[in-house]
Amino acid sequence: MDKTAFLSQAEQHCLRLGNRLTALRRQVLELVLGYPGVVKAYQVLADLQKERGVAAPPTVYRALDFLVENGLLHRVEALNGFIVCEHFDCPHEGLILVCARCGGVTELDATGPMAALRDASAAAGFAVAPQNLVLTGTCQSCQA
Amino acid sequence: MDKTAFLSQAEQHCLRLGNRLTALRRQVLELVLGYPGVVKAYQVLADLQKERGVAAPPTVYRALDFLVENGLLHRVEALNGFIVCEHFDCPHEGLILVCARCGGVTELDATGPMAALRDASAAAGFAVAPQNLVLTGTCQSCQA
DNA sequence: CTGGTGATGTTATAGGATAACATTCAACTC
DNA sequence: GAGTTGAATGTTATCCTATAACATCACCAG
Ligand SMILES: [Zn+2]
Ligand SMILES: [Zn+2]
Ligand SMILES: [Zn+2]
Ligand SMILES: [Zn+2]
């Protein structure tokens, strides 16, 4: 999907959820889209400052939080970063693989393994909520 | 296992790995043991300062890193915290279940499910690094 | 116009982690 | 015992990440 189409669909997606993809939020999403993999909040902030002149942390954090809440981004806790979700329109439990060396990201279907995790947790009385799984490691091209 | 026995076994465990559980490291481990769930580095730092008078962040971070490397603690990335590993003597990867309602934490051995995830990822050319899995959900007592 | 609501701007600070260098300690050699 | 070496710890400073608190603005309904 090309960038323009993605942004357009993202806007529709937000509307369906009853939220607005404002100019600022759209700009932030566009900046994140400019990276192949994981982006950090302060990186986006720096980019935003180049385009707008001024911007403070809360500006970018609020936009990023909005995008995460609306399913357009995933937060990668282990790396203090964010990645674009390529298929925000279909509800999914993705397996997100993040390369620790190049920052590249791959999403796999993890239905089977997730079910196994859910079963193991249920046996301990714990109800696992729907969520994405983020694993770090090394991608194919970074394996020496 | 009671605290003294745990510390004693932890010391033996480190020795087997060719490392030393020094007084400082032991003290930090003891402080973490004092908490039922997730502890943060700066909380440990504060405790350490109460007991020693002075202590700086690197002191506690180095000790925590050592304990993680030796399998006595797990780092919970998503929460910027650490938990004690109750079964450090058998190699495993933790499945850490965090209750969204009460904040309680349970650790399961996720070696099996992790192997499944690793296989699925390997099929995509991705080498998953050893790590803990953090899942959110609802614990038994919080399920109404 | 006016009040209310959501979004954004602004300032300041809290919270988490590490770099770089100095010092001390334990163990091993001579 | 003195000297040497590498690991561990102390110390200072700084960077990165994230949010609190409050002010302002844009928009729309009444
Ligand atoms: Zn996704
Ligand atoms: Zn890579
Ligand atoms: Zn464990
Ligand atoms: Zn609970």
mmCIF file of all heavy atoms in Angstrom, chain B residues 99 101-104 139 141-142, ligand 4:
data_model
loop_
_atom_site.group_PDB
_atom_site.id
_atom_site.type_symbol
_atom_site.label_atom_id
_atom_site.label_comp_id
_atom_site.label_asym_id
_atom_site.label_seq_id
_atom_site.Cartn_x
_atom_site.Cartn_y
_atom_site.Cartn_z
ATOM 1 N N CYS B 99 -1.561 -8.517 35.905
ATOM 2 C CA CYS B 99 -2.989 -8.235 36.008
ATOM 3 C C CYS B 99 -3.235 -6.744 35.806
ATOM 4 O O CYS B 99 -2.661 -5.904 36.499
ATOM 5 C CB CYS B 99 -3.533 -8.669 37.355
ATOM 6 S SG CYS B 99 -5.293 -8.287 37.550
ATOM 7 N N ARG B 101 -5.857 -5.150 36.457
ATOM 8 C CA ARG B 101 -6.687 -4.543 37.491
ATOM 9 C C ARG B 101 -5.920 -4.302 38.783
ATOM 10 O O ARG B 101 -5.956 -3.223 39.343
ATOM 11 C CB ARG B 101 -7.916 -5.422 37.762
ATOM 12 C CG ARG B 101 -8.967 -5.295 36.651
ATOM 13 C CD ARG B 101 -10.299 -5.894 37.080
ATOM 14 N NE ARG B 101 -10.830 -5.293 38.289
ATOM 15 C CZ ARG B 101 -11.857 -5.772 38.978
ATOM 16 N NH1 ARG B 101 -12.448 -6.881 38.574
ATOM 17 N NH2 ARG B 101 -12.290 -5.167 40.051
ATOM 18 N N CYS B 102 -5.234 -5.339 39.277
ATOM 19 C CA CYS B 102 -4.602 -5.197 40.584
ATOM 20 C C CYS B 102 -3.088 -5.008 40.485
ATOM 21 O O CYS B 102 -2.428 -4.719 41.482
ATOM 22 C CB CYS B 102 -4.909 -6.406 41.474
ATOM 23 S SG CYS B 102 -4.142 -7.942 40.944
ATOM 24 N N GLY B 103 -2.518 -5.171 39.290
ATOM 25 C CA GLY B 103 -1.081 -4.977 39.138
ATOM 26 C C GLY B 103 -0.256 -6.154 39.617
ATOM 27 O O GLY B 103 0.969 -6.103 39.568
ATOM 28 N N GLY B 104 -0.909 -7.211 40.059
ATOM 29 C CA GLY B 104 -0.186 -8.386 40.528
ATOM 30 C C GLY B 104 0.563 -9.074 39.399
ATOM 31 O O GLY B 104 0.207 -8.946 38.239
ATOM 32 N N CYS B 139 -6.087 -11.517 36.539
ATOM 33 C CA CYS B 139 -5.731 -12.633 37.397
ATOM 34 C C CYS B 139 -6.983 -13.273 37.984
ATOM 35 O O CYS B 139 -8.071 -12.716 37.900
ATOM 36 C CB CYS B 139 -4.793 -12.182 38.508
ATOM 37 S SG CYS B 139 -5.605 -11.314 39.850
ATOM 38 N N SER B 141 -8.203 -13.763 40.975
ATOM 39 C CA SER B 141 -9.028 -13.102 41.985
ATOM 40 C C SER B 141 -9.687 -11.836 41.450
ATOM 41 O O SER B 141 -10.605 -11.314 42.073
ATOM 42 C CB SER B 141 -8.182 -12.784 43.223
ATOM 43 O OG SER B 141 -6.973 -12.186 42.853
ATOM 44 N N CYS B 142 -9.222 -11.343 40.321
ATOM 45 C CA CYS B 142 -9.825 -10.130 39.769
ATOM 46 C C CYS B 142 -10.899 -10.443 38.724
ATOM 47 O O CYS B 142 -11.524 -9.527 38.188
ATOM 48 C CB CYS B 142 -8.762 -9.231 39.155
ATOM 49 S SG CYS B 142 -7.784 -8.361 40.385
HETATM 50 ZN ZN ZN E 4 -5.635 -8.960 39.679
#
